[in-house]
Amino acid sequence: MSWPGQEDVFFSTSLASYLDKKLLVLLRDGRKLLGILRSFDQFANVVLEGAHERVIVGELYCDIVLGLYVIRGENVVLIGELDPEREELPASMTPGWAIQRGDLKDCFFPFFFQAQKAEKEASDLKGTMRKRMEFLDLD
Amino acid sequence: MLFFSYFKELVGKEVTVELKNDLAIKGILHSVDQYLNIKLENTRVVDQDKYPHMELFHKGSVVRYVQLPPDGVDIDILHDATRREARGG
């Protein structure tokens, strides 16, 4: 199989229709990033403007503001368009704080991470998707 | 090329795409390319209580990794195509 050329941008699964739209990008490690698609290429490398990572623990969610992001295509599992009509989140979801990267360890909402730890203990640890959360153990 | 042609036949049909991370998504096959990237429309997540927050995407997804479960596949057509491919025709 040859490397994809320039013309592959116009194949039927082109991301061109998603430009300037708010997207959900699901990564191989299980992270969910939201942001506006500004650019892409044949490898599904993606530029997201105003990107934030949405961490969801049960009924709580938390947005980690990231800013301008370039995501390497090999890490992308799925790209989805957010439906502007439907609610972004179920109404029952409680917002946490939108925090800047780097504040994670000096969190001033320990409740959120307690809940996160409890959920981690309660659910099956399948695969590597949750392993990245282990560094948040506050023991 | 065989599966690319096969998926092209399935365009417009409802398929369930199972990803490597065990997430299963049902949707109507919109388009596919030679690398088997898949675009789905009117997506909804199978097994909602397992992945409740995945309500987020409903319009369409460009999916990278795929495992197709049998209920989305017509095995006879696939058998014929494979036989033809093996024969070199």
Side-chain angles (χ1 to χ4, degrees):
Chain A
M1 193 179 273
S2 59
W3 283 110
Q6 267 315 111
E7 64 275 8
D8 293 277
V9 161
F10 303 109
F11 266 56
S12 40
T13 54
S14 167
L15 289 170
S17 57
Y18 288 94
L19 278 173
D20 300 326
K21 293 210 168 106
K22 181 133 194 225
L23 302 179
L24 166 77
V25 178
L26 194 62
L27 301 181
R28 286 217 299 233
D29 59 7
R31 271 187 270 199
K32 302 166 209 65
L33 301 185
L34 290 94
I36 301 170
L37 181 71
R38 288 305 187 199
S39 187
F40 66 95
D41 67 6
Q42 63 265 46
F43 306 109
N45 295 328
V46 149
V47 174
L48 281 185
E49 189 185 5
H52 49 102
E53 179 186 345
R54 185 155 283 164
V55 179
I56 295 174
V57 179
E59 291 292 291
L60 297 170
Y61 76 92
C62 171
D63 280 350
I64 304 168
V65 175
L66 300 167
L68 187 64
Y69 249 43
V70 174
I71 302 170
R72 190 177 162 86
E74 66 173 315
N75 298 298
V76 173
V77 166
L78 181 152
I79 296 174
E81 191 180 344
L82 295 182
D83 195 334
E85 280 129 53
R86 280 188 66 170
E87 285 291 301
E88 268 194 28
L89 288 149
S92 55
M93 283 226 163
T94 321
W97 281 261
I99 59 177
Q100 298 288 328
R101 185 125 254 215
D103 291 347
L104 265 177
K105 290 216 172 117
D106 316 319
C107 59
F108 47 99
F109 49 108
F111 171 67
F112 180 85
F113 290 100
Q114 264 177 24
Q116 195 169 50
K117 199 171 140 210
E119 193 197 55
K120 189 191 83 171
E121 283 159 9
S123 65
D124 292 331
L125 288 174
K126 233 193 250 181
T128 58
M129 262 179 30
R130 286 190 181 273
K131 273 197 180 163
R132 60 176 289 272
M133 301 292 213
E134 279 166 12
F135 80 92
L136 292 171
D137 247 6
L138 298 174
D139 280 334
Chain B
M1 283 306 286
L2 187 158
F3 280 99
F4 176 40
S5 310
Y6 176 72
F7 286 138
K8 281 201 287 190
E9 298 299 315
L10 285 178
V11 167
K13 303 230 168 65
E14 188 178 54
V15 293
T16 305
V17 165
E18 194 180 315
L19 305 183
K20 281 186 178 176
N21 63 2
D22 291 337
L23 180 64
I25 303 172
K26 232 184 194 135
I28 298 167
L29 186 62
H30 173 269
S31 52
V32 65
D33 66 15
Q34 58 166 298
Y35 307 109
L36 304 185
N37 292 332
I38 286 175
K39 220 179 199 180
L40 296 174
E41 287 199 318
N42 302 319
T43 54
R44 59 202 160 283
V45 180
V46 173
D47 214 354
Q48 276 277 340
D49 29 286
K50 239 185 133 191
Y51 295 98
H53 47 270
M54 288 301 176
E55 277 181 52
L56 284 177
F57 43 86
H58 345 86
K59 273 207 166 162
S61 319
V62 173
V63 170
R64 258 315 180 80
Y65 289 125
V66 161
Q67 299 163 13
L68 289 178
D71 50 334
V73 169
D74 187 333
I75 301 205
D76 295 325
I77 295 178
L78 205 51
H79 276 161
D80 291 337
T82 313
R83 255 176 253 126
R84 264 183 269 122
E85 188 88 357
R87 240 179 273 139

